[in-house]
Amino acid sequence: FPSHDKPSYGLKSGTSMSAPNATGTAALLVEHYRNLFADQSPASATTKGLLIHTAKDAGNIGPDYIYGWGVIDGAAAANFLTTASTNTGSDLLFEQTYSGVETTIPVVSDGGSPLKVSLVWTDLPGTPHDPGLDLNIPVLVNDLDLWVTDGSGNRFHPWTLNKNSPSAPAVRTQANHLDNVEQVLIDLPLAGQYTIHIGHNGGIVTG
């Protein structure tokens, strides 16, 4: 930190430093996005999704209650945007409005690297919980669902955590009805065609 008499620097860590670090990285990515996409700004869900999708995993494999989705990797996020802007590489970015009709997106895997798909959306305000501790009633207004199928019809689910066993690793065995971030990761995909599915559970409230 600059001082009055001479330039100097200090080293700090902890949650007080993580907030400005994440905010500064997000601001730089928004600037990079605008440079790539004709001065358009990304939706807030896009920026959030970009940071989560390219984060470096930490702690248990997948999301966990200590590290969340991992450690932000600004360089990986910027490189993802650059590749996605050309529509010629393996990184794809979609910004769409979900209308209540299942959306499908075909993709092809070469089998040489993991297949990862992230879905992030901005939900409408939900009903606040009554006063109390550790309430776990779902509050999503629009419960979107993400899953991937392969050419044989096998279904790949997003990560979910067990609130009753917070130290347990996340699993990929069921739909996620709690979060407005969902991610499917296929570690060792076979080469061939896959289909990304985006649907919903329950009704859809527009706006």
Side-chain angles (χ1 to χ4, degrees):
F1 302 96
S3 63
H4 294 292
D5 54 343
K6 62 180 179 178
S8 60
Y9 294 88
L11 177 65
K12 292 185 178 291
S13 63
T15 55
S16 295
M17 295 297 102
S18 65
N21 187 321
T23 303
T25 302
L28 290 171
L29 289 173
V30 169
E31 180 181 16
H32 187 46
Y33 184 102
R34 297 189 64 180
N35 289 335
L36 293 170
F37 296 103
D39 212 31
Q40 298 180 64
S41 294
S44 59
T46 302
T47 304
K48 179 178 178 179
L50 180 66
L51 292 170
I52 289 172
H53 187 81
T54 59
K56 183 177 180 181
D57 197 14
N60 290 342
I61 296 174
D64 60 62
Y65 287 112
I66 296 177
Y67 293 94
W69 287 99
V71 179
I72 288 177
D73 188 335
N79 290 334
F80 181 97
L81 274 181
T82 300
T83 304
S85 70
T86 66
N87 288 320
T88 59
S90 60
D91 296 328
L92 303 174
L93 173 67
F94 298 91
E95 284 187 310
Q96 299 176 345
T97 299
Y98 182 75
S99 62
V101 178
E102 182 181 323
T103 300
T104 58
I105 303 170
V107 293
V108 175
S109 171
D110 62 5
S113 59
L115 175 60
K116 180 164 62 172
V117 182
S118 300
L119 171 68
V120 181
W121 69 98
T122 301
D123 198 22
L124 297 175
T127 301
H129 281 155
D130 293 329
L133 295 176
D134 298 328
L135 298 177
N136 52 41
I137 301 170
V139 295
L140 283 177
V141 174
N142 292 318
D143 179 10
L144 302 189
D145 287 321
L146 171 70
W147 69 98
V148 176
T149 55
D150 63 15
S152 299
N154 296 308
R155 184 166 177 153
F156 299 88
H157 296 283
W159 296 105
T160 56
L161 289 163
N162 183 353
K163 62 181 174 56
N164 296 319
S165 183
S167 62
V171 297
R172 293 171 274 185
T173 58
Q174 60 191 347
N176 183 330
H177 298 303
L178 295 176
D179 307 307
N180 65 337
V181 175
E182 298 192 11
Q183 184 182 98
V184 173
L185 175 63
I186 306 174
D187 301 287
L188 300 171
L190 298 175
Q193 178 137 345
Y194 291 78
T195 303
I196 300 167
H197 301 260
I198 301 170
H200 67 279
N201 180 63
I204 290 294
V205 181
T206 59

